[in-house]
Each structure stands twice: as C-alpha cells, then as structure tokens.
Amino acid sequence: MKKSSFKIISTSTEEVVFKKNDLFISKNENINLKLDSNIEVIFLENNRARVVLEFNIFDEKNLDTVPFFIKVKESGIFEWKEDTNFETVNNLLHINAPALLLSYIRSIISQLVAFSGYPSLVIPFIDFSTKD
C-alpha cells in the first residue's frame, strides 16, 4: 500500500444552521431527504488549496413542509506534491476533498438530528464525481 501524496492539513467547521419545524407531522415514516451541496475551491500558494463544502438537507424556503432544515459548511486545507498534474489535482480537490469533508459533516448532522428528537439520521455516501 502506498501513501497518497494528497494530504489534508487542517479542517474547520465554518457554519452550522439547524431549524426545526415543530408543526411537522409525517404521514410516512420514510421521509425522502432532499440533499444539496456546493463546493468551493480556492487555490493557495505552495501547492495548497482551501476546499469549502456546504451541505444542506432540505430547503429552508420549504421549512413549513419538511421536518427541519440543516446547513453545515466545513472547510479544509489540502496539499499535494509539486509534480502532480493539474487534472489530477482538480479531481482530488473536487471529488476526494468534498468526500472527506462530508465525513466530518456527517457526524455533526447525526448529532443535531438526534438531539432534536427525530430518529437517528445517517447521511449516505455521495458521489461527487457527477453533477446530478
């Protein structure tokens, strides 16, 4: 097994928003989650970049029809070897980095939902290689 030359230097939770709809009554125990994300990549000096993943569950505008709204922003500083080609770096920053940041977000969301009185929520794996 070979160590990756793509490294995470640090992470930080930038923002957490949780709004609960106390009037929500579910007629169906299986609520279809509406997940949305936004990825921002900012290139820094010395083969480093800051990646920010904003991850939303449901839409705040529809709070009257959903159990809650959650938005979590997590950022990370990533580093790679100087000789790594741009296409590889771009894929790592837009696919691998958000997948890693989502692992931090996943635990935050799980705790928020559990503390709100709803059943435990486990965020599924997300394929960041497609735009769908």
Side-chain angles (χ1 to χ4, degrees):
M1 186 165 40
K2 181 181 170 187
K3 271 187 170 180
S4 175
S5 62
F6 185 66
K7 299 176 186 174
I8 187 164
I9 304 303
S10 65
T11 63
S12 177
T13 303
E14 304 290 330
E15 182 178 6
V16 177
V17 176
F18 178 82
K19 294 184 179 181
K20 182 178 176 183
N21 176 356
D22 287 326
L23 302 176
F24 181 79
I25 300 172
S26 174
K27 297 175 177 73
N28 179 354
E29 287 192 25
N30 293 325
I31 299 167
N32 290 326
L33 297 178
K34 182 181 179 310
L35 307 176
D36 187 38
S37 65
N38 185 45
I39 301 162
E40 181 182 10
V41 175
I42 302 117
F43 286 91
L44 308 170
E45 295 177 348
N46 301 323
N47 301 313
R48 288 185 176 195
R50 180 174 182 260
V51 178
V52 180
L53 174 63
E54 179 182 310
F55 192 80
N56 300 317
I57 301 178
F58 297 119
D59 188 337
E60 187 174 15
K61 291 180 253 177
N62 298 328
L63 187 57
D64 60 335
T65 61
V66 296
F68 51 79
F69 165 71
I70 296 176
K71 175 170 84 172
V72 180
K73 268 189 189 180
E74 188 77 19
S75 69
I77 304 294
F78 295 85
E79 181 179 71
W80 58 93
K81 281 187 176 179
E82 188 174 330
D83 61 350
T84 310
N85 72 50
F86 181 77
E87 184 178 341
T88 300
V89 168
N90 201 42
N91 283 337
L92 290 167
L93 293 172
H94 285 88
I95 298 169
N96 297 56
L100 179 70
L101 293 173
L102 183 58
S103 66
Y104 290 90
I105 290 172
R106 192 174 276 115
S107 65
I108 293 168
I109 289 173
S110 179
Q111 288 185 354
L112 281 172
V113 173
F115 290 146
S116 74
Y118 284 106
S120 181
L121 176 63
V122 178
I123 302 301
F125 289 112
I126 305 293
D127 181 358
F128 288 102
S129 67
T130 63
K131 301 293 180 202
D132 298 341

